[in-house]
Amino acid sequence: MAFTVPELVDILRLEPIEDTIFRGRSPQVGWQRVFGGLVIAQALVACCRTVPDRLPHSLHGYFMLPGDPSTPIIYEVDRLRDGRSFATRRCTAIQHGKPIFTLAASFHDDEAGLTHAMPMPDVPHPDALPSEPELLERFGAHLPEGVRRYLMRERPLELRPVDLRRFQPGVVAGALDPVQHIWMRITGPLGDDPILHRAALAYMSDMTLLDTALVAHGRSLYDPTLQVASLDHALWIHRPPKADEWLLYAQESPNASGARGMARGLIYAQDGALVASVAQEGLIRPRS
């Protein structure tokens, strides 16, 4: 089933139930569990609904149970602090009477201060890279069935990986470094709402990140011999994002051990401005 940009925007709006309680839903596209990035984005929007005069600059979340896409998610927000410069909120996502995700978000008044940033990697422009249909045409026969179905589905975002070697047949463990550079964008206009752009950025920030920990092992998220799931997620927003324009997601995985993999990423605008930083640890458990 198709999942379009207008539907993503509608899903991110949330339904207010009480002053600090909201209801969210998932797209009905046949997923077995709710995409973690959607839960992050909806929890962030719920927090934003309780802070009318500031924008979020960071969030930290923990996944506790897989979400059921057939059931609405209830988001309960706690107002932890409202200071002169910062505000702090905590949000708990609940399904079937149990918390499935918890998030803490910080909000800050925009201020002037010292400025520096790591430079953007030198990579090809997204227009010079194959689109998802072209990627499917070139490598479809060698892709795992899950990846092939994912690329064939209409979705509200587009991904263009820079290094295509991992899509070629016969990639073995140790052949590639645990690094990925991926261009990404929401495929339709999001308007001028800064909260919507930050929520969409949070949604996309969960894309492909944990997969970076598998690159060096010649494996992917769709490997049936692995159980893979996000455990936590952190996002720091440094500059206002435009999620409906191309963003470069520069990812690396510094460690995998103990059935867990660590990945981190820097998100850049096309002009080289560093928009956000991301970190995530996930379960990477060999199935018995």
Side-chain angles (χ1 to χ4, degrees):
M1 295 179 64
F3 178 27
T4 64
V5 174
E7 185 175 7
L8 174 64
V9 172
D10 185 58
I11 284 174
L12 291 178
R13 298 292 185 194
L14 299 184
E15 176 189 353
I17 299 176
E18 294 287 350
D19 185 43
T20 58
I21 303 176
F22 307 89
R23 179 186 287 117
R25 62 181 179 87
S26 302
Q28 299 303 300
V29 291
W31 292 339
Q32 293 182 337
R33 61 186 182 188
V34 179
F35 170 54
L38 180 62
V39 183
I40 297 168
Q42 288 184 332
L44 179 61
V45 170
C47 291
C48 290
R49 292 285 191 89
T50 70
V51 185
D53 55 350
R54 292 172 181 151
L55 292 172
H57 70 93
S58 70
L59 62 84
H60 300 258
Y62 280 92
F63 296 95
M64 292 172 281
L65 289 171
D68 177 0
S70 67
T71 303
I73 303 174
I74 302 300
Y75 295 92
E76 296 184 353
V77 179
D78 294 321
R79 290 187 171 95
L80 299 183
R81 179 176 183 266
D82 286 295
R84 286 183 293 181
S85 298
F86 290 87
T88 308
R89 296 292 186 267
R90 179 175 58 219
C91 181
T92 303
I94 301 171
Q95 269 191 328
H96 306 300
K98 297 180 180 179
I100 65 169
F101 177 75
T102 183
L103 176 140
S106 180
F107 297 74
H108 183 212
D109 291 326
D110 192 24
E111 299 181 39
L114 303 177
T115 300
H116 77 271
M118 295 291 291
M120 184 172 75
D122 184 13
V123 299
H125 188 276
D127 291 343
L129 297 169
S131 64
E132 290 179 341
E134 292 170 338
L135 193 65
L136 188 63
E137 182 178 354
R138 288 174 59 179
F139 300 106
H142 308 295
L143 295 175
E145 179 61 25
V147 177
R148 190 160 54 247
R149 288 200 309 267
Y150 178 80
L151 291 175
M152 293 174 63
R153 202 179 276 153
E154 183 180 359
R155 293 169 290 111
L157 78 160
E158 182 179 3
L159 305 174
R160 293 195 180 185
V162 171
D163 189 348
L164 304 181
R165 289 178 298 169
R166 70 170 313 198
F167 299 104
Q168 298 172 354
V171 177
V172 297
L176 302 176
D177 293 329
V179 173
Q180 290 197 106
H181 296 98
I182 298 175
W183 289 99
M184 61 183 184
R185 67 175 174 181
I186 299 296
T187 55
L190 294 178
D192 299 324
D193 183 355
I195 293 176
L196 183 57
H197 281 272
R198 290 176 189 237
L201 179 73
Y203 176 87
M204 292 191 294
S205 70
D206 191 38
M207 283 285 175
T208 74
L209 189 58
L210 194 56
D211 189 51
T212 309
L214 301 173
V215 170
H217 304 275
R219 315 283 277 275
S220 78
L221 293 173
Y222 296 93
D223 191 323
T225 68
L226 295 174
Q227 180 186 0
V228 182
S230 301
L231 297 174
D232 62 7
H233 193 88
L235 169 66
W236 296 266
I237 301 173
H238 309 306
R239 294 169 179 83
K242 293 288 290 182
D244 52 5
E245 297 178 358
W246 283 117
L247 298 167
L248 178 67
Y249 205 169
Q251 308 170 356
E252 63 177 359
S253 175
N255 183 73
S257 60
R260 298 188 311 276
M262 171 71 184
R264 57 195 181 195
L266 299 176
I267 299 176
Y268 293 89
Q270 280 193 81
D271 63 3
L274 180 58
V275 172
S277 300
V278 189
Q280 184 180 89
E281 187 177 46
L283 177 70
I284 304 176
R285 175 186 289 157
R287 296 184 186 274
S288 59

